[in-house]
mmCIF file of all heavy atoms in Angstrom:
data_model
loop_
_atom_site.group_PDB
_atom_site.id
_atom_site.type_symbol
_atom_site.label_atom_id
_atom_site.label_comp_id
_atom_site.label_asym_id
_atom_site.label_seq_id
_atom_site.Cartn_x
_atom_site.Cartn_y
_atom_site.Cartn_z
ATOM 1 N N MET A 1 67.325 -29.069 29.031
ATOM 2 C CA MET A 1 66.087 -28.937 28.306
ATOM 3 C C MET A 1 64.909 -29.325 29.180
ATOM 4 O O MET A 1 65.059 -30.212 30.042
ATOM 5 C CB MET A 1 66.110 -29.829 27.103
ATOM 6 C CG MET A 1 65.048 -29.467 26.076
ATOM 7 S SD MET A 1 65.419 -30.105 24.492
ATOM 8 C CE MET A 1 65.378 -31.820 24.728
ATOM 9 N N CYS A 3 60.828 -30.452 29.350
ATOM 10 C CA CYS A 3 59.707 -31.070 28.595
ATOM 11 C C CYS A 3 58.374 -30.559 29.162
ATOM 12 O O CYS A 3 58.156 -30.621 30.376
ATOM 13 C CB CYS A 3 59.745 -32.553 28.654
ATOM 14 S SG CYS A 3 58.414 -33.376 27.929
ATOM 15 N N ILE A 7 47.707 -30.812 26.689
ATOM 16 C CA ILE A 7 46.547 -31.650 26.333
ATOM 17 C C ILE A 7 45.643 -30.735 25.575
ATOM 18 O O ILE A 7 45.156 -29.785 26.057
ATOM 19 C CB ILE A 7 45.897 -32.135 27.604
ATOM 20 C CG1 ILE A 7 46.911 -32.883 28.527
ATOM 21 C CG2 ILE A 7 44.712 -33.085 27.288
ATOM 22 C CD1 ILE A 7 46.366 -33.285 29.861
ATOM 23 N N GLY A 11 41.835 -33.592 23.329
ATOM 24 C CA GLY A 11 42.450 -34.606 24.244
ATOM 25 C C GLY A 11 43.779 -35.134 23.707
ATOM 26 O O GLY A 11 44.391 -35.920 24.384
ATOM 27 N N VAL A 13 47.579 -35.431 23.417
ATOM 28 C CA VAL A 13 48.629 -35.025 24.276
ATOM 29 C C VAL A 13 49.902 -34.814 23.428
ATOM 30 O O VAL A 13 50.227 -35.676 22.623
ATOM 31 C CB VAL A 13 48.903 -36.091 25.365
ATOM 32 C CG1 VAL A 13 50.139 -35.641 26.277
ATOM 33 C CG2 VAL A 13 47.717 -36.297 26.237
ATOM 34 N N GLU A 15 54.040 -33.641 23.559
ATOM 35 C CA GLU A 15 55.235 -33.320 24.444
ATOM 36 C C GLU A 15 56.114 -32.404 23.642
ATOM 37 O O GLU A 15 56.446 -32.656 22.472
ATOM 38 C CB GLU A 15 55.990 -34.618 24.769
ATOM 39 C CG GLU A 15 55.309 -35.476 25.760
ATOM 40 C CD GLU A 15 56.268 -36.404 26.435
ATOM 41 O OE1 GLU A 15 57.498 -36.399 26.105
ATOM 42 O OE2 GLU A 15 55.802 -37.101 27.387
ATOM 43 N N ASP A 22 62.004 -19.726 28.753
ATOM 44 C CA ASP A 22 60.874 -19.599 27.842
ATOM 45 C C ASP A 22 59.580 -19.374 28.507
ATOM 46 O O ASP A 22 59.394 -19.768 29.645
ATOM 47 C CB ASP A 22 60.695 -20.963 27.046
ATOM 48 C CG ASP A 22 61.764 -21.128 25.943
ATOM 49 O OD1 ASP A 22 62.576 -20.240 25.673
ATOM 50 O OD2 ASP A 22 61.780 -22.218 25.331
ATOM 51 N N ARG A 23 58.741 -18.558 27.841
ATOM 52 C CA ARG A 23 57.457 -18.300 28.390
ATOM 53 C C ARG A 23 56.445 -19.407 27.885
ATOM 54 O O ARG A 23 56.453 -19.752 26.750
ATOM 55 C CB ARG A 23 56.947 -16.974 27.970
ATOM 56 C CG ARG A 23 55.918 -16.341 28.833
ATOM 57 C CD ARG A 23 55.721 -14.857 28.462
ATOM 58 N NE ARG A 23 55.433 -14.741 27.024
ATOM 59 C CZ ARG A 23 54.731 -13.772 26.456
ATOM 60 N NH1 ARG A 23 54.281 -12.750 27.267
ATOM 61 N NH2 ARG A 23 54.496 -13.691 25.195
ATOM 62 N N LEU A 25 53.406 -19.449 27.150
ATOM 63 C CA LEU A 25 52.580 -18.962 26.089
ATOM 64 C C LEU A 25 53.218 -19.135 24.762
ATOM 65 O O LEU A 25 52.732 -19.611 23.750
ATOM 66 C CB LEU A 25 52.102 -17.535 26.244
ATOM 67 C CG LEU A 25 51.270 -16.936 25.160
ATOM 68 C CD1 LEU A 25 49.958 -17.710 24.891
ATOM 69 C CD2 LEU A 25 50.991 -15.464 25.419
ATOM 70 N N ASP A 31 53.963 -24.455 19.193
ATOM 71 C CA ASP A 31 53.488 -25.828 18.946
ATOM 72 C C ASP A 31 52.211 -25.770 18.215
ATOM 73 O O ASP A 31 51.584 -26.905 17.911
ATOM 74 C CB ASP A 31 53.401 -26.571 20.283
ATOM 75 C CG ASP A 31 53.089 -28.013 20.115
ATOM 76 O OD1 ASP A 31 53.824 -28.693 19.276
ATOM 77 O OD2 ASP A 31 52.115 -28.488 20.690
ATOM 78 N N PRO A 34 45.989 -23.534 20.231
ATOM 79 C CA PRO A 34 45.130 -22.347 19.939
ATOM 80 C C PRO A 34 44.976 -21.340 21.114
ATOM 81 O O PRO A 34 43.874 -21.152 21.537
ATOM 82 C CB PRO A 34 43.836 -23.028 19.546
ATOM 83 C CG PRO A 34 43.773 -24.236 20.383
ATOM 84 C CD PRO A 34 45.198 -24.706 20.508
ATOM 85 N N GLU A 36 45.395 -17.553 21.970
ATOM 86 C CA GLU A 36 45.538 -16.345 21.158
ATOM 87 C C GLU A 36 46.626 -15.419 21.761
ATOM 88 O O GLU A 36 47.388 -14.839 21.131
ATOM 89 C CB GLU A 36 44.266 -15.632 21.017
ATOM 90 C CG GLU A 36 43.303 -16.188 20.003
ATOM 91 C CD GLU A 36 42.018 -15.431 19.911
ATOM 92 O OE1 GLU A 36 42.033 -14.184 20.084
ATOM 93 O OE2 GLU A 36 40.991 -16.077 19.665
ATOM 94 N N CYS A 39 46.756 -9.995 24.180
ATOM 95 C CA CYS A 39 47.405 -8.763 24.790
ATOM 96 C C CYS A 39 48.908 -8.989 24.987
ATOM 97 O O CYS A 39 49.570 -8.096 25.539
ATOM 98 C CB CYS A 39 46.704 -8.441 26.125
ATOM 99 S SG CYS A 39 47.237 -9.487 27.519
ATOM 100 N N CYS A 48 45.045 -16.537 26.959
ATOM 101 C CA CYS A 48 46.151 -17.492 27.164
ATOM 102 C C CYS A 48 45.906 -18.423 28.308
ATOM 103 O O CYS A 48 46.830 -19.120 28.816
ATOM 104 C CB CYS A 48 47.414 -16.702 27.389
ATOM 105 S SG CYS A 48 47.385 -15.754 28.898
ATOM 106 N N VAL A 50 45.220 -21.411 30.676
ATOM 107 C CA VAL A 50 45.368 -22.844 30.573
ATOM 108 C C VAL A 50 45.012 -23.442 31.936
ATOM 109 O O VAL A 50 44.991 -22.750 32.977
ATOM 110 C CB VAL A 50 46.826 -23.249 30.216
ATOM 111 C CG1 VAL A 50 47.196 -22.815 28.813
ATOM 112 C CG2 VAL A 50 47.828 -22.676 31.257
ATOM 113 N N ASN A 55 48.679 -31.974 40.011
ATOM 114 C CA ASN A 55 50.034 -32.284 40.560
ATOM 115 C C ASN A 55 51.078 -31.241 40.318
ATOM 116 O O ASN A 55 52.049 -31.124 40.986
ATOM 117 C CB ASN A 55 50.493 -33.644 40.074
ATOM 118 C CG ASN A 55 49.703 -34.774 40.584
ATOM 119 O OD1 ASN A 55 48.928 -34.638 41.592
ATOM 120 N ND2 ASN A 55 49.780 -35.927 39.932
ATOM 121 N N LYS A 61 55.025 -20.790 40.583
ATOM 122 C CA LYS A 61 55.058 -19.645 41.503
ATOM 123 C C LYS A 61 53.575 -19.165 41.605
ATOM 124 O O LYS A 61 52.957 -19.118 40.610
ATOM 125 C CB LYS A 61 55.949 -18.529 40.929
ATOM 126 C CG LYS A 61 57.395 -18.882 40.934
ATOM 127 C CD LYS A 61 58.212 -17.655 40.776
ATOM 128 C CE LYS A 61 59.771 -18.025 40.733
ATOM 129 N NZ LYS A 61 60.063 -18.622 39.410
ATOM 130 N N PRO A 62 53.133 -18.686 42.746
ATOM 131 C CA PRO A 62 51.740 -18.225 42.916
ATOM 132 C C PRO A 62 51.469 -17.084 41.920
ATOM 133 O O PRO A 62 52.329 -16.251 41.625
ATOM 134 C CB PRO A 62 51.745 -17.693 44.355
ATOM 135 C CG PRO A 62 52.889 -18.246 45.014
ATOM 136 C CD PRO A 62 53.923 -18.568 44.008
ATOM 137 N N GLU A 65 48.201 -10.819 41.902
ATOM 138 C CA GLU A 65 46.774 -10.379 42.054
ATOM 139 C C GLU A 65 46.198 -10.093 40.726
ATOM 140 O O GLU A 65 45.028 -10.388 40.444
ATOM 141 C CB GLU A 65 46.736 -9.176 42.989
ATOM 142 C CG GLU A 65 45.401 -9.059 43.650
ATOM 143 C CD GLU A 65 45.343 -7.957 44.638
ATOM 144 O OE1 GLU A 65 46.350 -7.794 45.418
ATOM 145 O OE2 GLU A 65 44.408 -7.099 44.588
ATOM 146 N N GLU A 66 46.876 -9.381 39.837
ATOM 147 C CA GLU A 66 46.403 -8.986 38.556
ATOM 148 C C GLU A 66 46.034 -10.281 37.762
ATOM 149 O O GLU A 66 45.018 -10.277 37.026
ATOM 150 C CB GLU A 66 47.385 -8.247 37.730
ATOM 151 C CG GLU A 66 47.787 -6.908 38.281
ATOM 152 C CD GLU A 66 49.045 -6.966 39.158
ATOM 153 O OE1 GLU A 66 49.144 -7.948 39.920
ATOM 154 O OE2 GLU A 66 49.857 -6.003 39.042
ATOM 155 N N LEU A 89 59.365 -20.773 32.230
ATOM 156 C CA LEU A 89 59.846 -22.133 32.528
ATOM 157 C C LEU A 89 61.204 -22.170 33.110
ATOM 158 O O LEU A 89 62.064 -21.376 32.659
ATOM 159 C CB LEU A 89 59.732 -22.973 31.218
ATOM 160 C CG LEU A 89 58.307 -23.080 30.696
ATOM 161 C CD1 LEU A 89 58.341 -23.660 29.263
ATOM 162 C CD2 LEU A 89 57.427 -23.955 31.586
ATOM 163 N N LEU A 93 60.341 -26.985 36.467
ATOM 164 C CA LEU A 93 58.991 -27.221 35.928
ATOM 165 C C LEU A 93 59.018 -28.394 34.804
ATOM 166 O O LEU A 93 58.103 -28.533 34.056
ATOM 167 C CB LEU A 93 58.394 -25.902 35.319
ATOM 168 C CG LEU A 93 58.169 -24.917 36.358
ATOM 169 C CD1 LEU A 93 57.677 -23.557 35.655
ATOM 170 C CD2 LEU A 93 57.087 -25.338 37.334
ATOM 171 N N GLY A 95 58.368 -31.430 32.838
ATOM 172 C CA GLY A 95 57.248 -32.334 32.931
ATOM 173 C C GLY A 95 55.914 -31.667 33.227
ATOM 174 O O GLY A 95 54.852 -32.328 33.315
ATOM 175 N N LEU A 96 55.923 -30.365 33.165
ATOM 176 C CA LEU A 96 54.663 -29.588 33.377
ATOM 177 C C LEU A 96 53.609 -30.023 32.350
ATOM 178 O O LEU A 96 53.888 -30.048 31.209
ATOM 179 C CB LEU A 96 54.980 -28.101 33.299
ATOM 180 C CG LEU A 96 53.812 -27.097 33.507
ATOM 181 C CD1 LEU A 96 53.466 -27.012 35.017
ATOM 182 C CD2 LEU A 96 54.184 -25.788 32.997
ATOM 183 N N VAL A 98 49.742 -29.072 30.959
ATOM 184 C CA VAL A 98 48.643 -28.124 31.030
ATOM 185 C C VAL A 98 47.629 -28.454 30.016
ATOM 186 O O VAL A 98 47.932 -28.977 28.883
ATOM 187 C CB VAL A 98 49.037 -26.648 30.853
ATOM 188 C CG1 VAL A 98 50.087 -26.203 31.880
ATOM 189 C CG2 VAL A 98 49.629 -26.381 29.450
ATOM 190 N N ARG A 99 46.323 -28.164 30.319
ATOM 191 C CA ARG A 99 45.213 -28.466 29.359
ATOM 192 C C ARG A 99 44.809 -27.139 28.721
ATOM 193 O O ARG A 99 44.700 -26.095 29.365
ATOM 194 C CB ARG A 99 44.130 -29.120 30.147
ATOM 195 C CG ARG A 99 43.105 -29.706 29.307
ATOM 196 C CD ARG A 99 42.428 -30.894 30.050
ATOM 197 N NE ARG A 99 41.984 -30.574 31.436
ATOM 198 C CZ ARG A 99 40.849 -30.019 31.654
ATOM 199 N NH1 ARG A 99 39.987 -29.676 30.711
ATOM 200 N NH2 ARG A 99 40.478 -29.774 32.923
ATOM 201 N N ALA A 102 38.608 -25.611 26.280
ATOM 202 C CA ALA A 102 37.886 -25.681 24.973
ATOM 203 C C ALA A 102 37.442 -24.283 24.441
ATOM 204 O O ALA A 102 37.323 -24.170 23.333
ATOM 205 C CB ALA A 102 36.673 -26.591 25.209
ATOM 206 N N GLU A 103 37.187 -23.463 25.412
ATOM 207 C CA GLU A 103 36.591 -22.151 24.996
ATOM 208 C C GLU A 103 37.396 -21.030 25.648
ATOM 209 O O GLU A 103 37.684 -21.029 26.784
ATOM 210 C CB GLU A 103 35.144 -22.139 25.550
ATOM 211 C CG GLU A 103 34.313 -21.142 24.786
ATOM 212 C CD GLU A 103 32.917 -21.043 25.451
ATOM 213 O OE1 GLU A 103 32.640 -21.990 26.255
ATOM 214 O OE2 GLU A 103 32.264 -20.120 25.216
#
Side-chain angles (χ1 to χ4, degrees):
M1 194 159 68
C3 171
I7 306 175
V13 179
E15 288 202 355
D22 283 354
R23 203 169 54 152
L25 175 62
D31 187 51
E36 282 180 34
C39 77
C48 63
V50 294
N55 291 342
K61 293 196 183 76
E65 203 177 315
E66 295 96 319
L89 298 168
L93 294 176
L96 180 74
V98 302
R99 196 148 50 82
E103 201 185 344

